[in-house]
C-alpha cells in the first residue's frame, strides 16, 4: 500500500505546477506549492503515509464539517436547518449573491462561507473563550490529537483580510439568521479556519465519519450515526466547492477541501484519507490533490456509486 501511495504522489507531483497557493489570506502565501502528501487510515487502524505527510497546514474550510457536527449536536436539527439550507449553491465558496436573491435569505448550505458562519453562530458556550475551548477540544477529540492548536499568524491574517466574511455575517445578522454577537461569531469562525493539522489528523477525522461516528480503537460513539451520515452527504453534494459534481463523477467519495490545500475524504466503512497540496486550481481545490484522489479511487475502487 505504501509503495502504491508513493507511486501516486511521485506521478502526480508535476500537477502542482499548474496551480497556485492561496494569496487572499496573506499568510497562506508562505506555503510551498510543490508539497504533496497523503495519509490513509483504514478501519483496522492501519496507517499508510507518503510524500509530505508530516507538513502542517491550516484546516480552513474542512473545519466546516466539524462545526456543522457541533451545531447539530448543540441544537434541534429543525432549528439548524431553518437557518442554513441543504442545497449546493453552484457559486464560489465566498459568494454573497444568493443571500440577497434566495426567497428565504438563508445560505444555501453549511459548506459555503455564509452557511458555515451560521453554523458557527450556533455553537453553544458561556462566552467566546468557552466556545473556543469547546470547539478546539472537539477538534482534538475527533483527530485524537491533543496537540492541535490555532495558528495565530494565520488567524491574524484571516482577521485582517476577512471583510467579505464580515459583510456576509452582518447581512445574516440583519436578516435575523445570525442571532447574538456577530463579532464573536466571526472571531470563532476565523479561529476554526486557523486550526493547524496534518494529513494524519484529516485521515483520522475522515475515518470517524466513515465509521458512522464510532471511534474504531475504543468503540466509543463520538458522533451520532445520523449526524455522520448528514456530514458525508454534504461532503458529496457541496464539499469540493463548485466542482463537487465533477468530483463525484471522477472520484465518487465524500470529501471536503480547504484553501490551505487540505482535502479530507471519508470512504464509508473503509477508510479516512487526508491529502495536502497547497497549489490550488481556480475553484480553490488542491490541483494535484484532486489527481491523487482520482488515481487512488480508481486503483482501490473507492467510488461509493
Ligand atoms: N478561511 C477561509 C475563508 O473564510 C476559508 C475558505 C476555504 O477554505 O474555503 O475565506
Amino acid at each position: 500500500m505504501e509503495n502504491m501511495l508513493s507511486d501516486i504522489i511521485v506521478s502526480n507531483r508535476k500537477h502542482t505546477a499548474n496551480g497556485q497557493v492561496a494569496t487572499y489570506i496573506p499568510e497562506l502565501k508562505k506555503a510551498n506549492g510543490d508539497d504533496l502528501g497523503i495519509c490513509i487510515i483504514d478501519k483496522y487502524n492501519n496507517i499508510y503515509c507518503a510524500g509530505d505527510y508530516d507538513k502542517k497546514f491550516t484546516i480552513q474550510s474542512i473545519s466546516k464539517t466539524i462545526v456543522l457536527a457541533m451545531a447539530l449536536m448543540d441544537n434541534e436539527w429543525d432549528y439548524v436547518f431553518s437557518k442554513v439550507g441543504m442545497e449546493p449553491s453552484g457559486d464560489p465558496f465566498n459568494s454573497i449573491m444568493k443571500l440577497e436573491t434566495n426567497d428565504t435569505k438563508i445560505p444555501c448550505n453549511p459548506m459555503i462561507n455564509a452557511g458555515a458562519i451560521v453554523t458557527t453562530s450556533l455553537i453553544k458556550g458561556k462566552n467566546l473563550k468557552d466556545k473556543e475551548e469547546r470547539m478546539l477540544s472537539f477538534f482534538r477529540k475527533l483527530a485524537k490529537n491533543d496537540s492541535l492548536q490555532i495558528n495565530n499568524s494565520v488567524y491574524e491574517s484571516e482577521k485582517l483580510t476577512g471583510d467579505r466574511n464580515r459583510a456576509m455575517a452582518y447581512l445574516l445578522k440583519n436578516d435575523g439568521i445570525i442571532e447574538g454577537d456577530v463579532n464573536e461569531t466571526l472571531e470563532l469562525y476565523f479561529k476554526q479556519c486557523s486550526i493547524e493539522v496534518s494529513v494524519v489528523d484529516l485521515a483520522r477525522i475522515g475515518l470517524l465519519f466513515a465509521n458512522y461516528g464510532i471511534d474504531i480503537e475504543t468503540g466509543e460513539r463520538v458522533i451520532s450515526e445520523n449526524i455522520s451520515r448528514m456530514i458525508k452527504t454534504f461532503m458529496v453534494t457541496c464539499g469540493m466547492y463548485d466542482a463537487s459534481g465533477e468530483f463525484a463523477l471522477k472520484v465518487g467519495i465524500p470529501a471536503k477541501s480547504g484553501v490551505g490545500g487540505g482535502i479530507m475524504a471519508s470512504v464509508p466503512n473503509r477508510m479516512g484519507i487526508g491529502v495536502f497540496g497547497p497549489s490550488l486550481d481556480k475553484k480553490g481545490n488542491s490541483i494535484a490533490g484532486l489527481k491523487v484522489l482520482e488515481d487512488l479511487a480508481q486503483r482501490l475502487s473507492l467510488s461509493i456509486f
Side-chain angles (χ1 to χ4, degrees):
M1 181 74 136
E2 243 154 25
N3 287 342
M4 184 192 71
L5 292 183
S6 290
D7 272 3
I8 292 179
I9 293 290
V10 169
S11 61
N12 285 298
R13 206 184 281 275
K14 59 179 181 289
H15 297 296
T16 60
N18 302 327
Q20 277 188 330
V21 300
T23 52
Y24 77 104
I25 298 171
E27 200 60 22
L28 298 183
K29 275 193 238 170
K30 295 185 179 162
N32 176 4
D34 298 339
D35 282 349
L36 190 62
I38 186 166
C39 173
I40 290 182
I41 310 181
D42 71 16
K43 68 170 177 181
Y44 306 106
N45 208 26
N46 296 308
I47 304 183
Y48 307 101
C49 295
D52 301 298
Y53 63 88
D54 51 358
K55 292 277 168 81
K56 295 262 176 65
F57 53 96
T58 50
I59 191 164
Q60 296 296 336
S61 263
I62 303 167
S63 65
K64 292 168 180 170
T65 57
I66 301 163
V67 169
L68 172 62
M70 264 190 107
L72 290 166
M73 288 162 91
D74 277 359
N75 299 272
E76 296 289 331
W77 296 351
D78 286 349
Y79 182 66
V80 174
F81 291 116
S82 72
K83 292 184 172 293
V84 62
M86 300 180 182
E87 301 300 336
S89 71
D91 296 324
F93 65 95
N94 57 2
S95 175
I96 206 162
M97 199 164 54
K98 290 213 169 83
L99 291 183
E100 267 294 87
T101 54
N102 266 356
D103 287 348
T104 56
K105 308 243 164 163
I106 66 171
C108 297
N109 67 70
M111 299 293 125
I112 52 174
N113 285 12
I117 292 169
V118 169
T119 50
T120 303
S121 77
L122 295 172
I123 291 181
K124 296 254 158 75
K126 288 194 282 293
N127 48 39
L128 178 61
K129 192 160 173 19
D130 187 37
K131 289 177 188 176
E132 184 186 326
E133 275 168 16
R134 282 193 69 224
M135 185 182 78
L136 195 55
S137 69
F138 191 61
F139 275 64
R140 287 177 175 161
K141 186 168 176 81
L142 264 54
K144 301 183 67 137
N145 180 356
D146 283 341
S147 68
L148 290 193
Q149 289 293 354
I150 291 165
N151 176 323
N152 271 315
S153 320
V154 175
Y155 161 66
E156 291 295 343
S157 193
E158 298 240 2
K159 228 170 114 156
L160 209 65
T161 52
D163 288 331
R164 201 177 172 83
N165 288 325
R166 274 187 201 98
M168 286 189 258
Y170 277 99
L171 196 56
L172 291 161
K173 168 83 179 175
N174 177 70
D175 291 335
I177 296 154
I178 288 185
E179 296 168 41
D181 187 315
V182 197
N183 279 317
E184 192 175 290
T185 296
L186 283 161
E187 283 286 289
L188 204 58
Y189 174 76
F190 294 140
K191 286 191 169 167
Q192 78 185 51
C193 290
S194 308
I195 294 175
E196 210 163 48
V197 291
S198 69
V199 286
V200 182
D201 298 315
L202 294 184
R204 181 61 74 190
I205 301 170
L207 177 62
L208 186 73
F209 290 129
N211 201 34
Y212 295 88
I214 293 178
D215 179 332
I216 48 146
E217 283 174 317
T218 62
E220 184 194 352
R221 172 161 294 290
V222 182
I223 299 175
S224 79
E225 189 175 329
N226 273 329
I227 291 180
S228 302
R229 188 175 288 124
M230 281 193 260
I231 305 292
K232 289 199 293 283
T233 311
F234 275 121
M235 286 162 77
V236 168
T237 56
C238 323
M240 302 300 284
Y241 305 120
D242 41 336
S244 300
E246 185 178 342
F247 187 82
L249 281 163
K250 290 187 173 165
V251 183
I253 54 183
K256 179 75 200 89
S257 63
V259 294
I263 305 177
M264 175 180 82
S266 188
V267 190
N269 289 319
R270 287 182 70 178
M271 62 181 71
I273 307 169
V275 176
F276 170 58
S279 179
L280 308 179
D281 65 14
K282 291 213 162 54
K283 295 191 168 173
N285 291 310
S286 169
I287 196 158
L290 291 176
K291 298 281 184 197
V292 164
L293 285 170
E294 208 177 311
D295 267 9
L296 189 71
Q298 238 155 44
R299 296 212 206 182
L300 299 179
S301 303
L302 296 182
S303 175
I304 61 169
F305 301 106

